[in-house]
Amino acid sequence: MSQNYDVIVIGSGPGGAALAHRLAPTGKRILLLERGEYLPRSTANWDAKTVFVDGAYQAAETWYGKDGSQFHPGLHYFVGGNSKVYGAALFRLRARDFDEVVHKDGISPAWPLKYEAFEPYYADAEKLFHVHGQRGEDPTEPPASGPFPYPPVSHEPRIQALHDSLRDGGLHPFHLPLGILLDERDGNPTPTSICIRCDAFDGFPCLLNGKADAQVMCVDPALAAHPNLTLLTGAYVSKLETDTSGKTVTDVCVTRNGTEERYGGSVVVVACGALSSALLLLRSTNDKHSGGLANGSGMVGRNYMRHNQSVLMALMPQRNDTVFQKTLAVADYYFGADDWDFPLGLIQMCAATHGAQIRGEALPGWLEWLPKKPFSEMSRHSMDFWLSSEDLPRPENRIFYDGDKVVLDITQNNMEAHQRLRQKLQEMLSRAGAHPVLMDHKLYFGQDVPIGGTAHQAGTARFGTDPATSVLDLDCKAHELDNLYIADASFFPSIGAVNPTLTIIANALRVADHIEGRLR
């Protein structure tokens, strides 16, 4: 027998959690299903070897590349989803990202809704996730209806010096917008601040719950305040079943504690992340949906995007004693450069490197000529950057099942822009007097994950007005079903070059408002 709810939300990452949090005050019966458990809190959360080298919090399952190679996806199955280990950089997409953008390798398509439709929800998302930042510094930032809800996270002296040098060189460095539970006074956390500005923020689970992740900001507060919201953990959704017409999801089939359970909902929201959401739809076949649920267009799992990404460790002669390094970004090359007419992307700082991370890397042979320093000493001479360039949606870039195997088929595109962005970072630091040696820092993407990782997954069920070329309508409801919605980055037609999480949250709030109106 099914247990029935008004709304069932599958996945407790930023999209599912934000949507459940928004709907909880309505009093409707809401079930939130999470395949993982709460991430254990222990001192191991702050251990670089545990997190990056051992990949202790990474999903243990095995996927396959198009060439048959095996890898472990950079996914994290916990309450709060991947946000438990994200860097909490919460950007709005640029206003131009919603229009057609020409790249060297092709076209980034226009969105069927423009920035103005998302702006109020961006504002709500920034408040919900305690985003710290400063309007007016970022030359590419879109119009906003108000200031950031919290002041920017201050730069430590070495990063402030870099900021000043870049500004004097004609660039426009700005404070990175961060979702963080930090109260500062004179650059130091106050005695009651949850965040203590430690060196284990970006990529680490936060032992103190000082990171504004989906569990901390949405799931736990909503559960505490609204008894109509129920969370089930360890609940893997194996399949969605429909009625005989194929137009209504009737049963959410769950495996929990080794037993099979069924739940029914007037509305079903899939928010497993773009990769896992597509897989759920693809394995939910029936007579009316032989190619997978909501897949009459054949687009489910296709147009996968994950950014062209590099994490670079700049080894420098100068010592860098910065503890909390993730405070600065540069977007001057986002839409182009003096020597390049096409978009390059975003440069942002990431967490300081730990010696254990360097020891765990497959170090390139050319490092042999560097002074023989202990890994911990090398880390003290590093400064670390995350580079993101836009990859373009291509139908052939997709996730699918080959029998029981999950295959992620990726052909890289638009890589010249990314290489040029890397050159800009080199030039930028050299002009600032750093003269660095740049080394790829692959462990940030997880053990054995292909280039770019899966952290910024998007685009496997794009929204649009034409059911022949899109999976979802403009409310993110499946064209082919009356009660099925998606509330993660699957709906993205393009990905821009900024971190996608704030857009996921904003859209989930937008979809929640639509669902609330439907339930009245």
Side-chain angles (χ1 to χ4, degrees):
M1 294 291 292
S2 294
Q3 299 182 49
N4 292 305
Y5 291 83
D6 296 304
V7 181
I8 296 177
V9 183
I10 306 167
S12 66
L19 182 140
H21 183 276
R22 185 82 154 201
L23 289 177
T26 65
K28 300 295 183 180
R29 294 188 69 224
I30 302 168
L31 176 64
L32 181 59
L33 297 170
E34 170 54 52
R35 69 184 296 173
E37 304 291 344
Y38 275 87
L39 193 150
R41 296 175 68 188
S42 75
T43 54
N45 297 163
W46 284 351
D47 180 67
K49 181 178 183 299
T50 298
V51 174
F52 293 106
V53 182
D54 300 339
Y57 303 111
Q58 190 176 323
E61 60 198 58
T62 299
W63 289 2
Y64 296 83
K66 61 181 178 181
D67 59 356
S69 59
Q70 300 181 11
F71 68 95
H72 300 302
L75 303 176
H76 302 83
Y77 299 143
F78 298 103
V79 177
N82 284 335
S83 72
K84 291 305 297 179
V85 298
Y86 79 152
L90 295 174
F91 286 90
R92 300 181 181 205
L93 281 169
R94 320 289 86 175
R96 278 179 59 188
D97 285 327
F98 291 85
D99 298 325
E100 182 178 283
V101 179
V102 178
H103 293 260
K104 173 87 172 347
D105 283 7
I107 301 295
S108 177
W111 288 42
L113 294 177
K114 300 306 179 184
Y115 172 76
E116 291 73 21
F118 291 88
E119 198 287 328
Y121 296 102
Y122 273 130
D124 289 349
E126 288 170 342
K127 292 175 185 175
L128 180 59
F129 274 69
H130 281 231
V131 181
H132 294 240
Q134 180 64 54
R135 304 275 187 230
E137 297 180 329
D138 175 359
T140 66
E141 70 179 359
S145 52
F148 280 102
Y150 296 90
V153 178
S154 64
H155 300 314
E156 293 183 35
R158 186 72 183 83
I159 308 306
Q160 184 63 50
L162 175 63
H163 169 278
D164 296 345
S165 178
L166 296 176
R167 184 194 56 201
D168 293 344
L171 296 176
H172 301 83
F174 58 94
H175 288 87
L176 194 63
L178 288 177
I180 190 169
L181 298 174
L182 172 67
D183 295 318
E184 285 189 289
R185 186 179 302 122
D186 299 325
N188 297 304
T190 65
T192 57
S193 176
I194 299 174
C195 174
I196 59 173
R197 287 189 65 118
C198 71
D199 63 352
F201 181 83
D202 189 6
F204 292 85
C206 181
L207 176 59
L208 302 181
N209 285 336
K211 182 187 299 186
D213 64 46
Q215 173 215 320
V216 172
M217 307 313 300
C218 297
V219 177
D220 291 349
L223 287 172
H226 302 287
N228 54 298
L229 174 64
T230 300
L231 169 68
L232 290 184
T233 60
Y236 171 73
V237 178
S238 58
K239 188 175 183 179
L240 302 178
E241 294 185 348
T242 70
D243 61 9
T244 55
S245 73
K247 293 183 178 180
T248 302
V249 175
T250 55
D251 290 277
V252 177
C253 303
V254 173
T255 303
R256 192 165 68 102
N257 298 324
T259 61
E260 301 299 316
E261 303 171 351
R262 288 174 177 263
Y263 299 92
S266 299
V267 171
V268 175
V269 181
V270 176
C272 311
L275 293 168
S276 296
S277 288
L279 291 175
L280 172 56
L281 297 183
L282 289 172
R283 63 177 177 264
S284 298
T285 57
N286 60 34
D287 290 342
K288 298 294 184 179
H289 300 273
S290 59
L293 199 61
N295 197 25
S297 64
M299 289 291 107
V300 171
R302 294 186 179 272
N303 299 298
Y304 170 62
M305 299 167 287
R306 77 277 181 261
H307 282 143
N308 296 324
Q309 299 178 94
S310 297
V311 175
L312 297 174
M313 181 175 68
L315 292 172
M316 305 175 298
Q318 309 95 320
R319 187 181 173 103
N320 179 18
D321 292 319
T322 305
V323 177
F324 193 95
Q325 188 171 252
K326 191 182 177 73
T327 58
L328 181 143
V330 175
D332 291 81
Y333 310 115
Y334 194 93
F335 288 114
D338 291 343
D339 58 353
W340 183 250
D341 293 332
F342 305 102
L344 273 71
L346 178 74
I347 298 170
Q348 59 182 296
M349 305 208 71
C350 57
T353 296
H354 293 243
Q357 291 171 262
I358 302 175
R359 184 182 295 109
E361 294 278 6
L363 296 177
W366 52 258
L367 271 182
E368 292 178 0
W369 62 264
L370 287 174
K372 299 296 185 182
K373 298 178 180 178
F375 296 115
S376 59
E377 186 63 19
M378 288 177 66
S379 71
R380 295 187 190 102
H381 285 261
S382 72
M383 190 173 281
D384 306 87
F385 299 86
W386 186 299
L387 277 60
S388 290
S389 301
E390 185 164 4
D391 64 323
L392 305 176
R394 301 284 174 84
E396 61 269 23
N397 284 352
R398 63 182 183 126
I399 189 168
F400 63 97
Y401 281 105
D402 180 6
D404 292 332
K405 293 181 179 180
V406 175
V407 178
L408 188 57
D409 187 346
I410 301 173
T411 299
Q412 291 179 280
N413 65 71
N414 210 30
M415 284 302 295
E416 184 177 353
H418 194 68
Q419 294 304 321
R420 285 177 174 268
L421 185 64
R422 181 175 177 142
Q423 293 171 8
K424 292 298 181 186
L425 173 63
Q426 179 88 48
E427 296 167 5
M428 186 178 88
L429 294 175
S430 296
R431 287 197 303 269
H435 304 295
V437 174
L438 295 181
M439 189 186 89
D440 286 287
H441 215 353
K442 297 186 184 301
L443 283 180
Y444 263 94
F445 296 124
Q447 283 284 40
D448 304 320
V449 179
I451 184 169
T454 53
H456 290 185
Q457 54 184 293
T460 57
R462 57 167 48 171
F463 78 153
T465 57
D466 184 357
T469 59
S470 59
V471 178
L472 308 173
D473 67 15
L474 299 191
D475 296 317
C476 290
K477 184 186 74 67
H479 288 300
E480 300 172 15
L481 291 109
D482 297 328
N483 67 334
L484 178 65
Y485 293 79
I486 294 184
D488 53 34
S490 302
F491 86 101
F492 282 37
S494 66
I495 197 172
V498 295
N499 307 48
T501 304
L502 192 73
T503 303
I504 295 170
I505 299 164
N507 184 65
L509 299 178
R510 184 181 73 90
V511 173
D513 282 357
H514 167 78
I515 292 173
E516 180 182 357
R518 170 182 175 142
L519 294 173
R520 286 175 186 156

